[in-house]
Amino acid sequence: MSDQADIYISFSDLDNASTEEAQGWVTQVSQFLAEFLKHLLDRKVNIVLRSDQPKEVMAKTFIYILSENNIGGKSTIKEFESYLAAVKDVTKMFKALKTPVDRGDQPEVLKEEIGFRLYEKSGDSRSQESTETSSIAWLRLVDLAYDIYGQIAEIDGITKKEDQGVNKNVFLAEVSVDQEHNHDEIKRELLMHGYKVLPDRPVPDQAEKASERINNYLSESIMSIHIIGEEPGFVPEGSEASIVEIQNTMAAQYCEIIYSGQQTSSNGFNRLLWISPEIEFTNEQQKMEVDRLKQDMAALKGAEIIQTPLEVFKTVVMRRLEETVIMNATSEAGDTKSQKSIYIIYEKSGMDVANKIEDIIIKDDLLALHPLFEGDQLALMDNHRSNLIDCDATIIVYGEGNPSWISSKIKELKKAPGFGREKPFLFKTIITQNKKDIDTDKLASEGVEVLEVSADLSPANLKPLLEKMAN
């Protein structure tokens, strides 16, 4: 439809009052959106304000500016409802809050829409005073612009060739009040890189309905991101657990279902839990809960706990997502790796033994994966994690006199499902010339075999392992 507007903005005239020094607030918002979206869409964006044209104008997206000036059945609400009844082409509504408005006071038709808070509470995070011109509030306007861009691009059929048919949904879990700014930063980063962020509707206040919706979001996503804060978060009606805890529990259960084979997932699902290193607990109970979480293997199923500065965490998120998207795309194209691989884990001092192992296994048409020893720490960590995900089996080369190192490697094998590994190892074997300081019984109970060999490693030493690879 050639005369269809891109955006229709409805608002109260009181929210767009101009002064000698400045244009009205809504006018400033519309001008910002026009410039920002022009850059993204590479064309002029047609924005209609409520007073510019008749309300029957057709539009691809609809923004309702909600404030204390237009609640309680005032004229703009009636206009809004009649507009939606008459215009069927509006495919997406956006709710922008200029000032604080409790959800219970909002029109029914808006309660199920995600709200973009275009104001910032001044002083304490619980203060009800608002500062409409804060930089944080304008950053949220950027978030709104990216969401609108996604909707318009979908309607216009604008999709990057490499993204066609690729799932880029990310479940970014609801957070406690103290982590809202970090949540917003991560969401902004995801949107900037072309990912769709879920939830795209408010999570219901009732526990049962919330759980149903969260489960649907998880099944649609390639990753879930959970941010642990200083506060527990709100508790839905009918639950004793906070929404933060509910989301984490459901994500752990979802991973358990996938890993057990009860349900298949074509999304290469993995999840990350982030705890800011700057976190300062004022709630002793919450501190105890977070400490308990770090030790709760069931609650951490499929998860990788990361406690780094936010900028580092965002880098990790993007790298994990890029890996998952590439893996899913190649899998769907039928370009999966058929050659089986063994990840040889060793210290630099064990490199000669590792090379001998590689010489033996490649004769059986097996691929040898190696750790990296040079580069930045994040690159080393990413290589190690990728090898743990991709390999079919592992061999740990151990010299002697460093039991803490071998213990750390076993722990990392246990964490592999949290990195995104979806299949069991064909074997986990330690190769050593002296097993005197290794607790073989304990390792055996954990599914790790210890193989003592001579300095002159031969193919016969590895034959039992290679037979497992052939099965």
Side-chain angles (χ1 to χ4, degrees):
M1 185 180 307
S2 60
D3 60 344
Q4 187 180 26
D6 293 299
I7 305 171
Y8 179 58
I9 304 178
S10 182
F11 58 95
S12 165
D13 286 332
L14 294 174
D15 290 326
N16 198 34
S18 60
T19 66
E20 292 183 1
E21 292 79 18
Q23 293 176 305
W25 184 85
V26 177
T27 299
Q28 293 181 53
V29 167
S30 67
Q31 290 176 346
F32 175 87
L33 291 174
E35 287 299 315
F36 196 90
L37 291 168
K38 179 181 178 181
H39 172 73
L40 295 177
L41 294 165
D42 196 26
R43 66 170 175 82
K44 182 179 178 181
V45 178
N46 183 10
I47 300 179
V48 176
L49 300 184
R50 180 183 63 82
S51 57
D52 286 348
Q53 296 184 24
K55 63 186 178 184
E56 288 78 12
V57 66
M58 307 295 277
K60 297 171 185 175
T61 57
F62 188 99
I63 303 175
Y64 190 85
I65 305 293
L66 191 61
S67 76
E68 59 193 9
N69 295 318
N70 59 4
I71 59 174
K74 295 186 179 181
S75 60
T76 50
I77 291 294
K78 294 178 181 178
E79 173 197 319
F80 174 57
E81 292 175 341
S82 63
Y83 175 85
L84 292 181
V87 181
K88 304 298 183 184
D89 284 4
V90 176
T91 56
K92 179 70 175 178
M93 291 185 292
F94 295 94
K95 176 175 64 180
L97 286 85
K98 181 175 182 283
T99 61
V101 177
D102 288 339
R103 194 175 176 209
D105 294 332
Q106 298 174 16
E108 286 298 324
V109 71
L110 286 175
K111 288 181 179 178
E112 283 301 297
E113 300 300 326
I114 289 283
F116 290 84
R117 195 179 76 208
L118 304 184
Y119 66 89
E120 181 61 21
K121 297 172 183 176
S122 58
D124 185 83
S125 62
R126 298 169 186 79
S127 170
Q128 290 304 302
E129 297 179 9
S130 64
T131 306
E132 297 163 7
T133 56
S134 76
S135 58
I136 294 178
W138 284 98
L139 281 174
R140 294 199 184 102
L141 186 56
V142 173
D143 301 340
L144 173 59
Y146 271 111
D147 268 15
I148 292 172
Y149 164 72
Q151 184 64 27
I152 294 176
E154 183 177 336
I155 295 172
D156 290 354
I158 302 172
T159 307
K160 292 181 181 179
K161 184 177 180 180
E162 62 268 26
D163 288 344
Q164 291 179 359
V166 177
N167 183 354
K168 298 187 76 173
N169 295 341
V170 178
F171 177 72
L172 180 58
E174 297 285 294
V175 297
S176 53
V177 174
D178 65 287
Q179 292 300 315
E180 285 181 352
H181 59 295
N182 289 325
H183 176 279
D184 288 348
E185 276 208 44
I186 294 169
K187 178 180 179 180
R188 196 170 300 122
E189 191 82 9
L190 292 167
L191 293 171
M192 287 173 60
H193 285 82
Y195 292 92
K196 180 178 180 180
V197 179
L198 302 174
D200 56 0
R201 291 286 185 274
V203 175
D205 294 333
Q206 296 77 29
E208 186 175 347
K209 292 182 179 179
S211 296
E212 180 181 354
R213 188 169 294 182
I214 291 166
N215 190 59
N216 290 337
Y217 287 138
L218 290 170
S219 65
E220 296 172 7
S221 302
I222 61 175
M223 174 185 284
S224 69
I225 301 172
H226 305 262
I227 303 171
I228 309 302
E230 300 170 5
E231 301 174 12
F234 84 91
V235 178
E237 181 182 334
S239 172
E240 294 183 357
S242 72
I243 191 63
V244 174
E245 184 177 352
I246 289 172
Q247 292 169 118
N248 183 60
T249 300
M250 294 193 67
Q253 292 170 347
Y254 180 65
C255 287
E256 177 64 37
I257 291 172
I258 293 173
Y259 297 157
S260 66
Q262 299 176 46
Q263 178 179 324
T264 58
S265 171
S266 60
N267 296 331
F269 185 83
N270 56 92
R271 69 191 191 103
L272 303 175
L273 271 73
W274 180 66
I275 304 174
S276 170
E278 299 176 358
I279 196 167
E280 295 180 1
F281 292 102
T282 56
N283 183 326
E284 187 61 30
Q285 181 63 32
Q286 175 67 358
K287 182 179 184 302
M288 292 172 60
E289 287 296 319
V290 172
D291 289 341
R292 181 189 61 79
L293 172 64
K294 291 179 179 179
Q295 304 300 320
D296 189 340
M297 295 306 296
L300 295 177
K301 186 70 176 181
E304 180 180 358
I305 293 184
I306 299 177
Q307 194 160 5
T308 65
L310 181 61
E311 291 303 314
V312 175
F313 177 66
K314 289 193 294 184
T315 301
V316 172
V317 169
M318 290 302 121
R319 290 194 181 184
R320 299 290 189 269
L321 286 170
E322 288 170 8
E323 292 170 0
T324 302
V325 168
I326 291 172
M327 180 185 70
N328 290 343
T330 54
S331 177
E332 290 175 9
D335 186 24
T336 54
K337 172 174 62 69
S338 58
Q339 187 179 24
K340 289 185 178 180
S341 62
I342 299 175
Y343 181 23
I344 309 171
I345 304 172
Y346 54 94
E347 296 180 281
K348 273 190 176 182
S349 58
M351 189 174 294
D352 289 342
V353 177
N355 289 336
K356 287 182 181 179
I357 293 173
E358 179 176 14
D359 290 342
I360 294 170
I361 69 175
I362 61 175
K363 292 177 181 178
D364 274 44
D365 195 30
L366 297 171
L367 180 67
L369 304 177
H370 293 266
L372 293 178
F373 293 101
E374 296 182 0
D376 64 79
Q377 193 61 37
L378 193 57
L380 303 186
M381 182 179 69
D382 272 353
N383 174 73
H384 179 55
R385 174 187 173 279
S386 295
N387 287 344
L388 286 174
I389 293 172
D390 295 337
C391 72
D392 295 285
T394 62
I395 292 176
I396 301 175
V397 177
Y398 177 59
E400 60 179 313
N402 194 357
S404 61
W405 179 83
I406 196 73
S407 177
S408 71
K409 298 302 126 182
I410 298 302
K411 287 180 180 178
E412 287 163 8
L413 294 182
K414 292 179 182 178
K415 292 178 181 178
F419 301 152
R421 185 178 180 85
E422 296 185 354
K423 58 184 179 181
F425 293 102
L426 293 180
F427 60 79
K428 296 173 287 186
T429 300
I430 297 173
I431 288 183
T432 181
Q433 295 178 31
N434 189 344
K435 60 181 182 181
K436 65 180 182 180
D437 57 351
I438 298 177
D439 189 342
T440 55
D441 292 337
K442 182 176 183 296
L443 290 172
S445 68
E446 297 175 343
V448 180
E449 176 187 8
V450 179
L451 186 62
E452 191 171 33
V453 299
S454 64
D456 186 19
L457 185 69
S458 69
N461 295 132
L462 301 184
K463 184 178 179 180
L465 303 182
L466 299 180
E467 288 176 348
K468 292 180 182 179
M469 296 294 289
N471 294 334

